[in-house]
Amino acid sequence: MTAPASLWRCSLCGYVHEGATAPESCPVCGADQAEFGPYEASSGAPAKAPGERWQCLACNAIISGPTPPAECPVCGASHETFEPAGLPGTTLAGEARIAVIGAGIAGVSAAEAIRQAAPNAVVTLISRESALPYYRLNLTRYLAGDISVGELPMHPEDWYAQNGITLQRDAEVFQVDAERGSLVTSDGRSTDFDGLVLAVGSHPFMPPLDGTTLRGVFAVRTAQDAEALLQAVTGGGGPVVCIGGGVLGLETAGALARRGVEVTLLESHEWLMPRQLNRRAAQRLERTVRGQGIRLICEARTAALLGTAGAVSGVRLVDGTVLPARVVVITTGVRPNTSLARRIGLDVATGIIVDNRMRTSHPKIYAAGDVAEHHGVLYGLWGASLTQGTIAGLNAAGADIPVLGMPRTSSLKVLGLDVISVGQFQAQDGSWVVVDGEDQQRYRHFVFRDGIMVGAILMGEGGLGLATRKAIEGKQSFAALLRRNASAAEVVAALG
Ligand SMILES: Cc1cc2nc3c(=O)[nH]c(=O)nc-3n(C[C@H](O)[C@H](O)[C@H](O)COP(=O)(O)OP(=O)(O)OC[C@H]3O[C@@H](n4cnc5c(N)ncnc54)[C@H](O)[C@@H]3O)c2cc1C
């Protein structure tokens, strides 16, 4: 007997899979099967009462449908947290014109959410890139040769017209008149709007070093960057130096090493991924990195990039070491694209300041994704951008849905080692409890505050990522276990 088809959502990239079971691995981001959870009511979530609209009591999202969804598409809470919602507090935007600037994951999610919440709204999605909106997080898998260029787009070209979304590509917005509600793009077109979502993302941070403008120096942010880097490294030549041992630097170094390139990876901190891993976890990761033929130098402070005839020829470190390089890749973080927001006159700190509705200091304008600063936090992560984009889109369409903070979740692709870091991975004072354990294959590290799990590092434990994130987001208490000095294995058992 064939099992009924259901929908499954990858908790890392948001990909929705239709089938009797979740796929073995995510065809989009490569995440393990265990990262998939049921999506929508098709998995048989019982209706609590007749009704058309359901409110998630965890995040207040209001979802339409004859039954509550199996899992909240906004915060992931289970169907049990839904109650029938009363009449809408606000009127959805009807035929309002809503423009979204930036077609990364935040912008595309916003456009999708607007379309769902306000079927008659006129939705315009504007991108300065020429490529169809794509899975930016997969550029390193593309560099590694895991996926082809044809697998990068989020949707086929006709999807936008079919969903009533006007997609303008190769169009940069330079000018926005917030009071009149109009904007002008680089191709001279002007668009009037009643609501606006800024989802303009971030750009690579270039450290203030001599030589960063030399030929052969690359960043990895866009599909164009990835293509140019690939062209520069294929066909042999000398060594490549990657500066920055965070997630992007590691994945890029791993991808190039898999293409047979001689790679040196420089990290200025004592250990790799210092924003996501403790020293112990990083030591384990270092073994994998070195095992893949990557030369790794930690505590390596770059003094300058050296050049010959306008092209990069090496990297000089502060201690005087010179590393020859025909290509240098700089992955030292990102900075939000705030110039447009500053020209509009919006409140900007590091990013565009947004409230709990993702609204900026102008009532008509929302912001989401890498560019948004929410309670002082810039996430710089795919999942957070997707959630924020959805909320900004729903609210721009007239809903009233707050977004709460969320734990940062990072995972590593390309290197073939399951590494997940969630939330606060280090105890902040002596009252916090840490439970860890390891063996040859696995490392588990759980952090608790007042008996509640607030963070974790998991290595070689791809199957535990979703359960751990849910425990942290759901503020699950482990107090009774901790009183008994529970082992890491007991914590894992309690995660279910
Ligand atoms: C190679 C790579 C791998 C990554 N891997 C991971 C990962 O594994 N997990 C994870 O959580 N995160 C990962 N990230 C980070 C993640 O991709 C970002 O957090 C996410 O893409 C941010 O989405 P966004 O929509 O806010 O911004 P962006 O994706 O930056 O999109 C913004 C878009 O707006 C456009 N734009 C800017 N200004 C204008 C303008 N004035 N007019 C028109 N268009 C404009 C930009 O060109 C861009 O296309 C990775 C990033 C990179 C580069």
Side-chain angles (χ1 to χ4, degrees):
M1 197 179 82
T2 324
S6 299
L7 295 179
W8 304 87
R9 185 169 187 260
C10 172
S11 64
L12 289 185
C13 71
Y15 163 75
V16 175
H17 171 87
E18 190 172 354
T21 59
E24 274 179 21
S25 66
C26 177
V28 170
C29 71
D32 198 78
Q33 187 177 50
E35 290 297 336
F36 279 81
Y39 183 63
E40 278 201 2
S42 51
S43 57
K48 290 184 175 175
E52 289 291 305
R53 300 168 77 249
W54 304 88
Q55 181 157 29
C56 171
L57 300 181
C59 71
N60 289 341
I62 294 182
I63 310 298
S64 298
T67 60
E71 181 179 273
C72 176
V74 175
C75 72
S78 86
H79 65 87
E80 287 160 3
T81 62
F82 279 84
E83 292 289 350
L87 288 171
T90 54
T91 309
L92 293 190
E95 292 178 6
R97 300 154 304 171
I98 306 178
V100 180
I101 307 179
I105 184 61
V108 172
S109 306
E112 280 190 72
I114 297 162
R115 173 51 61 243
Q116 274 171 22
N120 298 321
V122 178
V123 186
T124 308
L125 178 61
I126 303 168
S127 171
R128 72 177 171 197
E129 293 192 61
S130 48
L132 275 176
Y134 56 92
Y135 286 101
R136 193 175 304 284
L137 86 171
N138 268 348
L139 290 178
T140 43
R141 295 182 72 218
Y142 171 60
L143 280 177
D146 282 348
I147 56 170
S148 68
V149 74
E151 292 170 273
L152 283 173
M154 291 187 222
H155 299 294
E157 188 164 9
D158 54 7
W159 180 92
Y160 296 91
Q162 281 164 8
N163 285 275
I165 296 169
T166 303
L167 174 64
Q168 294 181 14
R169 292 193 265 162
D170 263 326
E172 178 158 8
V173 177
F174 286 118
Q175 221 180 308
V176 174
D177 183 334
E179 299 320 312
R180 279 194 47 227
S182 74
L183 60 84
V184 181
T185 47
S186 46
D187 53 7
R189 268 191 279 184
S190 100
T191 303
D192 294 334
F193 61 80
D194 302 299
L196 178 68
V197 179
L198 291 178
V200 289
S202 54
H203 61 272
F205 168 68
M206 283 285 155
L209 295 171
D210 283 347
T212 51
T213 55
L214 288 165
R215 220 168 41 252
V217 179
F218 293 86
V220 187
R221 182 71 197 177
T222 64
Q224 241 178 342
D225 294 338
E227 208 53 69
L229 176 57
L230 263 189
Q231 278 183 19
V233 298
T234 40
V240 173
V241 173
C242 296
I243 303 179
V247 174
L248 183 54
L250 273 158
E251 291 186 359
T252 304
L256 298 183
R258 276 179 43 196
R259 286 188 181 263
V261 176
E262 182 190 337
V263 185
T264 300
L265 177 61
L266 306 180
E267 167 54 47
S268 60
H269 193 79
E270 283 171 68
W271 63 81
L272 291 169
M273 289 175 66
R275 294 176 64 211
Q276 292 91 7
L277 299 183
N278 58 18
R279 185 192 293 269
R280 183 77 199 108
Q283 281 169 345
R284 294 181 68 111
L285 174 60
E286 280 172 23
R287 285 204 294 273
T288 302
V289 170
R290 293 204 162 95
Q292 298 193 0
I294 298 167
R295 178 182 177 206
L296 173 64
I297 309 179
C298 287
E299 295 185 81
R301 298 195 28 233
T302 305
L305 308 189
L306 310 174
T308 315
V312 75
S313 60
V315 175
R316 193 178 71 240
L317 303 183
V318 168
D319 68 8
T321 308
V322 172
L323 304 161
R326 76 184 155 114
V327 166
V328 172
V329 188
I330 301 188
T331 54
T332 46
V334 293
R335 296 290 181 270
N337 294 326
T338 54
S339 59
L340 183 62
R342 282 184 275 120
R343 282 205 299 279
I344 300 172
L346 303 178
D347 286 351
V348 171
T350 305
I352 304 174
I353 296 176
V354 290
D355 66 12
N356 284 351
R357 266 76 185 163
M358 304 310 294
R359 200 194 305 258
T360 67
S361 52
H362 192 287
K364 255 190 225 171
I365 306 180
Y366 296 77
D370 276 13
V371 79
E373 178 169 342
H374 182 230
H375 293 297
V377 180
L378 289 124
Y379 287 92
L381 291 169
W382 184 267
S385 301
L386 188 157
T387 302
Q388 289 186 348
T390 303
I391 302 281
L394 292 172
N395 288 338
D400 180 26
I401 299 172
V403 66
L404 309 170
M406 50 199 111
R408 284 174 196 274
T409 302
S410 304
S411 59
L412 200 55
K413 312 182 290 292
V414 175
L415 291 161
L417 176 70
D418 282 322
V419 180
I420 297 179
S421 167
V422 193
Q424 309 239 30
F425 64 93
Q426 270 169 329
Q428 304 291 308
D429 73 44
S431 71
W432 294 33
V433 176
V434 172
V435 177
D436 49 18
E438 64 181 318
D439 57 29
Q440 282 287 90
Q441 282 79 38
R442 292 173 301 202
Y443 175 70
R444 302 148 161 183
H445 173 88
F446 299 104
V447 181
F448 302 88
R449 184 185 193 189
D450 298 335
I452 295 190
M453 190 183 286
V454 291
I457 300 171
L458 301 168
M459 299 181 81
E461 285 278 21
L464 276 184
L466 185 59
T468 306
R469 268 204 306 279
K470 283 192 164 170
I472 292 170
E473 283 169 14
K475 302 194 185 330
Q476 188 177 335
S477 174
F478 291 75
L481 265 186
L482 297 180
R483 274 196 294 275
R484 290 193 278 110
N485 289 330
S487 65
E490 287 172 288
V491 173
V492 169
L495 285 170

Short mmCIF file of all heavy atoms in Angstrom, two decimals, residues 398-440:
data_model
loop_
_atom_site.label_atom_id
_atom_site.label_comp_id
_atom_site.label_asym_id
_atom_site.label_seq_id
_atom_site.Cartn_x
_atom_site.Cartn_y
_atom_site.Cartn_z
N GLY A 398 -0.76 44.01 5.74
CA GLY A 398 -1.84 44.42 6.62
C GLY A 398 -2.06 43.54 7.82
O GLY A 398 -2.92 43.82 8.66
N ALA A 399 -1.30 42.44 7.96
CA ALA A 399 -1.45 41.59 9.15
C ALA A 399 -0.73 42.26 10.33
O ALA A 399 -0.11 43.32 10.17
CB ALA A 399 -0.86 40.22 8.87
N ASP A 400 -0.84 41.66 11.47
CA ASP A 400 -0.19 42.24 12.66
C ASP A 400 0.47 41.10 13.43
O ASP A 400 -0.07 40.59 14.40
CB ASP A 400 -1.25 42.95 13.52
CG ASP A 400 -0.62 43.57 14.75
OD1 ASP A 400 0.58 43.89 14.71
OD2 ASP A 400 -1.33 43.72 15.77
N ILE A 401 1.64 40.71 12.95
CA ILE A 401 2.29 39.52 13.50
C ILE A 401 3.65 39.91 14.06
O ILE A 401 4.50 40.42 13.32
CB ILE A 401 2.46 38.45 12.40
CG1 ILE A 401 1.09 38.06 11.88
CG2 ILE A 401 3.20 37.23 12.94
CD1 ILE A 401 1.15 37.15 10.68
N PRO A 402 3.86 39.67 15.34
CA PRO A 402 5.18 40.00 15.90
C PRO A 402 6.18 38.88 15.62
O PRO A 402 5.81 37.72 15.45
CB PRO A 402 4.90 40.10 17.39
CG PRO A 402 3.74 39.21 17.63
CD PRO A 402 2.95 39.16 16.35
N VAL A 403 7.44 39.23 15.56
CA VAL A 403 8.49 38.22 15.46
C VAL A 403 9.32 38.31 16.74
O VAL A 403 9.58 39.39 17.25
CB VAL A 403 9.36 38.43 14.21
CG1 VAL A 403 10.18 39.69 14.26
CG2 VAL A 403 10.29 37.24 13.96
N LEU A 404 9.64 37.14 17.27
CA LEU A 404 10.44 37.11 18.49
C LEU A 404 11.88 36.86 18.09
O LEU A 404 12.17 36.51 16.96
CB LEU A 404 9.93 36.00 19.41
CG LEU A 404 8.42 36.04 19.65
CD1 LEU A 404 7.95 34.79 20.36
CD2 LEU A 404 8.06 37.29 20.45
N GLY A 405 12.79 37.04 19.02
CA GLY A 405 14.18 36.68 18.72
C GLY A 405 14.26 35.19 18.47
O GLY A 405 13.37 34.43 18.84
N MET A 406 15.30 34.76 17.79
CA MET A 406 15.46 33.32 17.55
C MET A 406 16.91 32.94 17.78
O MET A 406 17.81 33.78 17.60
CB MET A 406 15.00 32.95 16.14
CG MET A 406 15.60 33.81 15.06
SD MET A 406 14.66 33.70 13.53
CE MET A 406 13.94 35.33 13.43
N PRO A 407 17.16 31.70 18.22
CA PRO A 407 18.56 31.33 18.42
C PRO A 407 19.29 31.25 17.09
O PRO A 407 18.72 30.81 16.09
CB PRO A 407 18.47 29.95 19.08
CG PRO A 407 17.10 29.45 18.81
CD PRO A 407 16.23 30.63 18.52
N ARG A 408 20.53 31.71 17.08
CA ARG A 408 21.34 31.57 15.86
C ARG A 408 21.65 30.11 15.62
O ARG A 408 22.08 29.42 16.54
CB ARG A 408 22.69 32.26 16.05
CG ARG A 408 22.69 33.74 15.97
CD ARG A 408 24.09 34.21 16.33
NE ARG A 408 24.10 35.62 16.63
CZ ARG A 408 24.22 36.56 15.72
NH1 ARG A 408 24.34 36.26 14.46
NH2 ARG A 408 24.21 37.83 16.07
N THR A 409 21.45 29.66 14.41
CA THR A 409 21.79 28.27 14.07
C THR A 409 22.73 28.28 12.89
O THR A 409 22.42 28.86 11.85
CB THR A 409 20.51 27.49 13.68
OG1 THR A 409 19.60 27.57 14.77
CG2 THR A 409 20.82 26.04 13.40
N SER A 410 23.88 27.65 13.04
CA SER A 410 24.81 27.56 11.92
C SER A 410 25.15 26.10 11.68
O SER A 410 25.32 25.34 12.63
CB SER A 410 26.12 28.28 12.24
OG SER A 410 25.86 29.60 12.59
N SER A 411 25.25 25.74 10.43
CA SER A 411 25.70 24.39 10.12
C SER A 411 26.72 24.48 9.00
O SER A 411 26.79 25.50 8.31
CB SER A 411 24.52 23.50 9.74
OG SER A 411 23.89 24.05 8.62
N LEU A 412 27.48 23.44 8.87
CA LEU A 412 28.58 23.45 7.90
C LEU A 412 28.25 22.52 6.76
O LEU A 412 27.83 21.38 6.99
CB LEU A 412 29.83 22.98 8.65
CG LEU A 412 31.19 23.32 8.06
CD1 LEU A 412 31.36 24.81 7.84
CD2 LEU A 412 32.28 22.82 9.03
N LYS A 413 28.43 22.99 5.54
CA LYS A 413 28.20 22.15 4.37
C LYS A 413 29.57 21.81 3.75
O LYS A 413 30.59 22.18 4.29
CB LYS A 413 27.33 22.88 3.34
CG LYS A 413 26.09 23.54 3.93
CD LYS A 413 25.23 24.23 2.88
CE LYS A 413 25.82 25.47 2.27
NZ LYS A 413 25.96 26.63 3.13
N VAL A 414 29.55 21.14 2.68
CA VAL A 414 30.72 20.89 1.80
C VAL A 414 31.79 19.97 2.39
O VAL A 414 32.30 19.09 1.71
CB VAL A 414 31.38 22.23 1.35
CG1 VAL A 414 32.64 21.98 0.55
CG2 VAL A 414 30.40 23.06 0.54
N LEU A 415 32.16 20.15 3.68
CA LEU A 415 33.31 19.41 4.21
C LEU A 415 32.98 17.96 4.58
O LEU A 415 33.87 17.19 4.96
CB LEU A 415 33.89 20.12 5.42
CG LEU A 415 34.59 21.45 5.08
CD1 LEU A 415 34.74 22.32 6.29
CD2 LEU A 415 35.95 21.19 4.45
N GLY A 416 31.70 17.59 4.52
CA GLY A 416 31.34 16.21 4.79
C GLY A 416 31.32 15.87 6.27
O GLY A 416 31.35 14.70 6.65
N LEU A 417 31.31 16.87 7.13
CA LEU A 417 31.25 16.63 8.58
C LEU A 417 30.03 17.37 9.11
O LEU A 417 29.88 18.57 8.85
CB LEU A 417 32.53 17.18 9.24
CG LEU A 417 32.61 17.10 10.75
CD1 LEU A 417 32.77 15.66 11.21
CD2 LEU A 417 33.81 17.93 11.26
N ASP A 418 29.15 16.65 9.83
CA ASP A 418 27.97 17.31 10.41
C ASP A 418 28.41 18.19 11.56
O ASP A 418 28.88 17.69 12.58
CB ASP A 418 27.00 16.26 10.97
CG ASP A 418 26.20 15.61 9.88
OD1 ASP A 418 25.82 16.32 8.94
OD2 ASP A 418 25.98 14.40 9.98
N VAL A 419 28.26 19.49 11.41
CA VAL A 419 28.58 20.42 12.50
C VAL A 419 27.40 21.38 12.63
O VAL A 419 27.04 22.05 11.67
CB VAL A 419 29.84 21.25 12.19
CG1 VAL A 419 30.15 22.19 13.35
CG2 VAL A 419 31.04 20.36 11.92
N ILE A 420 26.79 21.40 13.81
CA ILE A 420 25.68 22.33 14.03
C ILE A 420 25.95 23.08 15.33
O ILE A 420 26.32 22.47 16.34
CB ILE A 420 24.34 21.57 14.12
CG1 ILE A 420 24.05 20.88 12.79
CG2 ILE A 420 23.19 22.53 14.47
CD1 ILE A 420 22.78 20.09 12.78
N SER A 421 25.78 24.39 15.28
CA SER A 421 25.92 25.19 16.49
C SER A 421 24.64 26.01 16.64
O SER A 421 24.21 26.67 15.69
CB SER A 421 27.13 26.11 16.34
OG SER A 421 27.12 27.10 17.35
N VAL A 422 24.01 25.93 17.80
CA VAL A 422 22.74 26.62 18.02
C VAL A 422 22.84 27.46 19.29
O VAL A 422 23.30 26.98 20.33
CB VAL A 422 21.57 25.63 18.23
CG1 VAL A 422 20.22 26.35 18.13
CG2 VAL A 422 21.62 24.47 17.27
N GLY A 423 22.38 28.70 19.19
CA GLY A 423 22.20 29.54 20.38
C GLY A 423 23.51 29.82 21.12
O GLY A 423 24.58 29.95 20.53
N GLN A 424 23.40 29.88 22.45
CA GLN A 424 24.54 30.25 23.30
C GLN A 424 25.37 29.01 23.57
O GLN A 424 25.05 28.21 24.44
CB GLN A 424 24.01 30.77 24.64
CG GLN A 424 22.96 31.83 24.48
CD GLN A 424 23.40 33.10 25.16
OE1 GLN A 424 24.59 33.40 25.25
NE2 GLN A 424 22.44 33.85 25.65
N PHE A 425 26.47 28.89 22.85
CA PHE A 425 27.23 27.64 22.95
C PHE A 425 28.29 27.68 24.05
O PHE A 425 29.01 26.71 24.25
CB PHE A 425 27.86 27.29 21.59
CG PHE A 425 28.87 28.30 21.15
CD1 PHE A 425 30.22 28.13 21.44
CD2 PHE A 425 28.48 29.43 20.45
CE1 PHE A 425 31.16 29.06 21.04
CE2 PHE A 425 29.42 30.38 20.05
CZ PHE A 425 30.76 30.19 20.34
N GLN A 426 28.38 28.82 24.77
CA GLN A 426 29.34 28.89 25.87
C GLN A 426 28.65 29.42 27.11
O GLN A 426 27.85 30.37 27.03
CB GLN A 426 30.50 29.81 25.50
CG GLN A 426 31.61 29.03 24.83
CD GLN A 426 32.68 29.90 24.22
OE1 GLN A 426 32.41 31.01 23.76
NE2 GLN A 426 33.89 29.40 24.17
N ALA A 427 28.97 28.82 28.27
CA ALA A 427 28.38 29.29 29.52
C ALA A 427 28.85 30.71 29.78
O ALA A 427 30.02 31.04 29.58
CB ALA A 427 28.81 28.37 30.65
N GLN A 428 27.91 31.57 30.21
CA GLN A 428 28.26 32.97 30.43
C GLN A 428 28.68 33.24 31.87
O GLN A 428 29.33 34.23 32.16
CB GLN A 428 27.08 33.89 30.07
CG GLN A 428 26.57 33.70 28.66
CD GLN A 428 27.55 34.18 27.61
OE1 GLN A 428 28.02 35.30 27.66
NE2 GLN A 428 27.90 33.31 26.67
N ASP A 429 28.23 32.40 32.80
CA ASP A 429 28.73 32.51 34.18
C ASP A 429 28.58 31.16 34.87
O ASP A 429 28.05 30.21 34.29
CB ASP A 429 28.05 33.66 34.94
CG ASP A 429 26.62 33.37 35.33
OD1 ASP A 429 26.32 32.25 35.81
OD2 ASP A 429 25.77 34.26 35.17
N GLY A 430 29.07 31.10 36.10
CA GLY A 430 29.17 29.81 36.80
C GLY A 430 27.85 29.16 37.11
O GLY A 430 27.80 27.97 37.45
N SER A 431 26.74 29.91 37.02
CA SER A 431 25.44 29.29 37.33
C SER A 431 24.92 28.48 36.13
O SER A 431 23.97 27.74 36.26
CB SER A 431 24.43 30.38 37.71
OG SER A 431 24.09 31.13 36.57
N TRP A 432 25.50 28.68 34.96
CA TRP A 432 25.05 27.92 33.80
C TRP A 432 25.66 26.51 33.87
O TRP A 432 26.75 26.33 34.42
CB TRP A 432 25.50 28.59 32.50
CG TRP A 432 24.87 29.94 32.24
CD1 TRP A 432 24.51 30.86 33.18
CD2 TRP A 432 24.58 30.52 30.97
NE1 TRP A 432 24.01 31.98 32.57
CE2 TRP A 432 24.03 31.80 31.21
CE3 TRP A 432 24.71 30.11 29.66
CZ2 TRP A 432 23.62 32.65 30.19
CZ3 TRP A 432 24.32 30.96 28.63
CH2 TRP A 432 23.77 32.21 28.90
N VAL A 433 24.95 25.55 33.32
CA VAL A 433 25.43 24.16 33.38
C VAL A 433 25.78 23.70 31.97
O VAL A 433 25.04 23.98 31.02
CB VAL A 433 24.34 23.23 33.98
CG1 VAL A 433 24.80 21.77 33.95
CG2 VAL A 433 24.01 23.67 35.39
N VAL A 434 26.92 23.04 31.86
CA VAL A 434 27.34 22.49 30.56
C VAL A 434 27.41 20.97 30.67
O VAL A 434 27.96 20.44 31.64
CB VAL A 434 28.73 23.04 30.16
CG1 VAL A 434 29.25 22.33 28.91
CG2 VAL A 434 28.66 24.54 29.92
N VAL A 435 26.81 20.30 29.72
CA VAL A 435 26.91 18.82 29.68
C VAL A 435 27.52 18.47 28.34
O VAL A 435 26.98 18.83 27.30
CB VAL A 435 25.51 18.17 29.80
CG1 VAL A 435 25.62 16.65 29.69
CG2 VAL A 435 24.84 18.57 31.10
N ASP A 436 28.68 17.79 28.37
CA ASP A 436 29.19 17.36 27.07
C ASP A 436 29.74 15.95 27.13
O ASP A 436 29.94 15.38 28.21
CB ASP A 436 30.17 18.35 26.44
CG ASP A 436 31.26 18.82 27.35
OD1 ASP A 436 31.48 18.15 28.38
OD2 ASP A 436 31.88 19.83 27.03
N GLY A 437 29.93 15.41 25.95
CA GLY A 437 30.44 14.05 25.84
C GLY A 437 30.93 13.85 24.43
O GLY A 437 30.49 14.51 23.51
N GLU A 438 31.91 12.93 24.29
CA GLU A 438 32.41 12.68 22.94
C GLU A 438 32.95 11.27 22.81
O GLU A 438 33.31 10.62 23.81
CB GLU A 438 33.48 13.70 22.55
CG GLU A 438 34.75 13.67 23.36
CD GLU A 438 35.73 14.75 22.90
OE1 GLU A 438 35.90 14.95 21.68
OE2 GLU A 438 36.35 15.38 23.78
N ASP A 439 32.97 10.80 21.61
CA ASP A 439 33.69 9.57 21.30
C ASP A 439 34.33 9.77 19.93
O ASP A 439 34.39 10.90 19.44
CB ASP A 439 32.75 8.34 21.36
CG ASP A 439 31.55 8.49 20.43
OD1 ASP A 439 31.69 9.19 19.40
OD2 ASP A 439 30.48 7.93 20.72
N GLN A 440 34.79 8.72 19.32
CA GLN A 440 35.50 8.85 18.04
C GLN A 440 34.67 9.60 17.01
O GLN A 440 35.18 10.43 16.27
CB GLN A 440 35.82 7.46 17.47
CG GLN A 440 37.01 6.77 18.12
CD GLN A 440 38.30 7.42 17.67
OE1 GLN A 440 38.77 8.36 18.32
NE2 GLN A 440 38.88 6.97 16.56
#
